[in-house]
Structures are given as C-alpha cells and as structure tokens.
Amino acid sequence: MSKEEEVCNNKEGESVAAVASPRKNEVDMLHGPLLGKILMFAMPFALSGVLEQLFNSVDVMVVGRFASSEAMAAVGANTFLINLCINLFVGMSVGANVILSNHIGQCDNRAIRHAVSTTMVLSVISGFLLLLIGLLIAPMVLRAMDTPANVINDAITYLRIWFLGAPFFMVYNFGASVLRSKGDTRRPLYILIIAGIINTVVALVTVIVFKMSVVGVGMANDVAYVFSAIAVVYLLRKEQGPFRLDYRHLHIYGVELKRILQIGIPAGIQGMVFSFSNIFVQSAINSYGSAAMAGASASQIFDAYCYFLLNAFSGACVTFMGQNYGAGEIERCKRIFRICLVCGALFTLAGNMILFFGEDYVLKFFTTDPEVAHYAKLRIAVTMTTQWIASFYEIPASAMRGLGHSIEPALMTVFGTCVFRLIWIFTIHPIWSGFTQLMVIYPASWLLTDFIVFPAFLIISRRAFKFVKS
C-alpha cells in the first residue's frame, strides 16, 4: 500500500477511493499542483452550467423564432420566479457538497455513506416540496408582478408545466453534487449534453410541428429533467465503496442532515432573497412593455452563460477548500483561494467581452424584432462590461462556505446585492428613470458587495486557519 493510501485509511480500515486512487473521471484535490486540477474541475462544471442554462435558452429561442414575442416574454418572465423557488433547495445541495468534501478530506467512509444517503433522500423531499410550492404560489406572484395581460396566461401555463419536472430537477442536482464532491465534474457534464440535445429536439418538434408554443417548450424541459435524474441515479448505483447509492439503506441521518442544512439553508436563503429582489427588478422592466421584457430575457441569458464561468470557479473553491480544510492543509487552502479568484475574474471577463462584441450575431438566434434587440443591447452594454467584478464577492463567499461558514457570506451578500437593489428600485429609479439607468443597478450592487464580503473573508479565514493549527 502506498503512503497516500495509508493516510486515507479510516477507522473501518478502508481507503477512500476518490482520494487515494482517483479514477479517470475524478480529480485528486489533496495532492500535487493545483492550477491544472482546478481547471480540470472547473471547465466541465462551467459547461454543465451552460448546458443547464441551455434548457431555458432553447425555450426562449424556439418560441422567439417560431411562435411570438409575447410567448418569448412569457417564458422569460418566469426566469427570476423559477430561480426564487428552486434556490433554497439548490443551496442545500451546496451544503451536501461541502460536507461530503470535508468527509473525504478526513477519510471518514462511514460519514460519506451517511451523507450520500441523506443527500439523495433530501433531494426527493425537496423536489416534491418545490412542486407543491410552484403550483400553488408561483402563479399568484406572476400576477403580483404586473405581468402584462398579453403575456400572463402563457406565463402561468409554462410555469405550471415546468414545475411538474421539479422533482427530477432536484434529484439530478443533488446527485451531481455528490459526484462533484469527489472531483467528478465530467459525468454530470455528459448527462447534460445528452439532456440538452433531448430538450432541443423535443422543443423544436412540439413548437414547429405541433404548434404547441409555451406548452411544447415546457414539456421539453420536463423530458430532459427526467432523463437527467435517471442517469445520475444510475451512476450513483454503479459507484463503488461509500459513494454507492443503495436503495436498501436509504435513510436520513440526523447528524449529516444538520450539517448539510447548516451550510445549505443560508446559501439557499441567499439565493432566494437574491431572486426575490430581482422580481422587483423584473417588475420595473415590465413597466417598459413586452419588447423590453423579451429583450431583457435574451440578454439575461448572456449574463447566465458568463456567470456559469464564475460559478464553476466558485464551485471549485468550495470543493477544493472543503477537502483540504478537512485534511488540515492550510497552505493549499490559501493557494486554492488565490487561483480561483484570479481564474474566476479572468474567465468571466473573457466571456463578457466575447458576448459584448458578438451581440449582433448571437441576438439573431433569439429574435428578429428590432425593438426587442434594442432593449437587449441596452442591457448587454451595462452588464457585459462589468459582470467580472462580481468575482470579488462570489469567490470569497464560496471559500468561506468551504471553511464551514455559510451564514456570514449569506447575510453580507443579501445586504449588498438584494437589499441594495430594493432600495434602488424604490428610491433611485423613480428619480433617475429609464431602462438603461435601471440596468446600472447590477454593477452598483456587485461593487458594493465586493467591498463587504472580501474583507470579511480575510478575517474569517485567519480565524479558521488558526483554529486548525492550534
């Protein structure tokens, strides 16, 4: 047995395969150089995020090109609302990732088994709760957002169909978190590539051939989510050792559930409040009419594609930091933060510039309406030149979660991006009105949050590292 395998023997006399002898789809986060491994982890993760966004992009593109601008606005109007409903539960999958990463660093196979079991049971419960919440509450919120009369019926129809796939969506996301916790970002990507193809084909057939408009694209999402859930469960069933999903032993373990929720709920609430504030931004956009709504929907997809580059390095920071902090590797933790911060900012900036300069070409895929394209370009001009600055709060917040601190970054981010946006909507926007002026809300909130979160990370990380050394 090698020295590394001896280190990874736990109380049960077993070695953690993801640490001692990584497979070809996995990344060893505890040994060797970091930059190449972070890139190996982050790039498939980024592509996975892009493909998840592709589900919505295909919906917007297909109805925008082959149905109507009103149908396109109806799909886009749901973006923030869907995110509001799912973010709490997706945040809990972040908690599962952190806890599993810590257990891997500590070489605790029994805890890994318990965490995997708890995570997957939690995914099913979360999915059905999300379905219930979405069907009962979401349509009322759409009406409260002053969604225009020519859009509201299609928006509610699309929303209800989307939520029918919510249980499968959650099973995939929690299952993918389990795989990513041990450095496997490739197989979740492969699943999403196939799911993206399924989504595109079904959407095109239902909208172009059967003229089903928003009903067709909603169904396409659900079919893709069902496939994704089945595929990730199949992979977990084929795993060896503590990561294997065994139906006979599925159970919620109180200790693991508590730790997952301690990390996941603050992250989820942060995402919910963030989306809640964006509902008010969306309401302000709605006041400029359906063309502005459709243009904003298209440009938000640009934001999302670049955000997934940033989110990939945030995910790498959480997972690498979690494993190495669990193993007591403080110097590696410091290097992980620096690498993820620089890469996150640079890759996001590169994505911003590509889409900013290529806006005319890309917008052709979404709309042929010149008024819709006009509003999209107004928003792109503001967000695509500034989004990279969000790296300076996203990466420090992720690093804090990897160290086991989730409440602090959640509270600071909620204030910097969410509370500030609400203040802007109700105080600044009535005085400094206009669509472009409204879009300034994004870089202003990102910059404020940078100045709050980054110094906090420096303080919290020093304390956490001293605790390990002592």
Side-chain angles (χ1 to χ4, degrees), residues 120-143:
M120 296 313 295
V121 175
L122 189 59
S123 74
V124 176
I125 295 172
S126 299
F128 281 101
L129 284 175
L130 181 57
L131 171 62
L132 185 63
I133 292 170
L135 293 180
L136 295 180
I137 298 175
M140 294 186 291
V141 178
L142 271 178
R143 294 187 179 95

Side-chain angles (χ1 to χ4, degrees), residues 146-192:
D146 294 325
T147 305
N150 63 332
V151 171
I152 185 69
N153 289 333
D154 279 348
I156 291 175
T157 298
Y158 175 80
L159 194 67
R160 286 174 171 161
I161 295 171
W162 189 95
F163 275 106
L164 291 175
F168 302 98
F169 174 85
M170 295 311 302
V171 168
Y172 167 76
N173 274 278
F174 277 75
S177 286
V178 172
L179 295 175
R180 288 169 183 149
S181 70
K182 64 195 188 78
D184 183 356
T185 56
R186 293 185 187 180
R187 289 188 292 173
L189 170 62
Y190 301 153
I191 291 173
L192 286 176

Side-chain angles (χ1 to χ4, degrees), residues 21 50 58 178 250 273 325 333 426:
S21 54
V50 167
V58 167
V178 172
L250 276 177
V273 177
Y325 186 65
C333 287
F426 291 108

Side-chain angles (χ1 to χ4, degrees), residues 384-431:
M384 287 295 94
T385 55
T386 58
Q387 190 184 29
W388 62 274
I389 65 177
S391 306
F392 293 90
Y393 77 82
E394 288 281 2
I395 300 298
S398 296
M400 282 188 268
R401 291 191 181 96
L403 298 175
H405 293 262
S406 188
I407 295 177
E408 297 93 330
L411 291 176
M412 289 181 283
T413 304
V414 163
F415 176 78
T417 59
C418 306
V419 176
F420 176 77
R421 288 181 185 180
L422 292 176
I423 294 172
W424 184 292
I425 291 293
F426 291 108
T427 61
I428 298 176
H429 183 57
I431 301 170

Side-chain angles (χ1 to χ4, degrees), residues 204-223:
L204 289 171
V205 170
T206 54
V207 173
I208 298 174
V209 179
F210 296 103
K211 310 297 182 184
M212 297 175 69
S213 189
V214 296
V215 174
V217 293
M219 289 173 55
N221 267 317
D222 290 349
V223 172

Side-chain angles (χ1 to χ4, degrees), residues 1-23 26 30-31 103-110 112-113 182 240-243:
M1 181 181 293
S2 69
K3 182 178 180 180
E4 288 179 3
E5 287 174 325
E6 290 174 1
V7 171
C8 284
N9 281 348
N10 63 12
K11 294 177 182 178
E12 298 177 12
E14 300 172 335
S15 61
V16 182
V19 177
S21 54
R23 300 174 185 175
E26 299 169 6
L30 294 171
H31 311 97
H103 291 330
I104 293 169
Q106 296 161 354
C107 300
D108 191 339
N109 278 354
R110 178 178 296 172
I112 291 172
R113 287 194 188 95
K182 64 195 188 78
Q240 301 297 317
F243 287 95

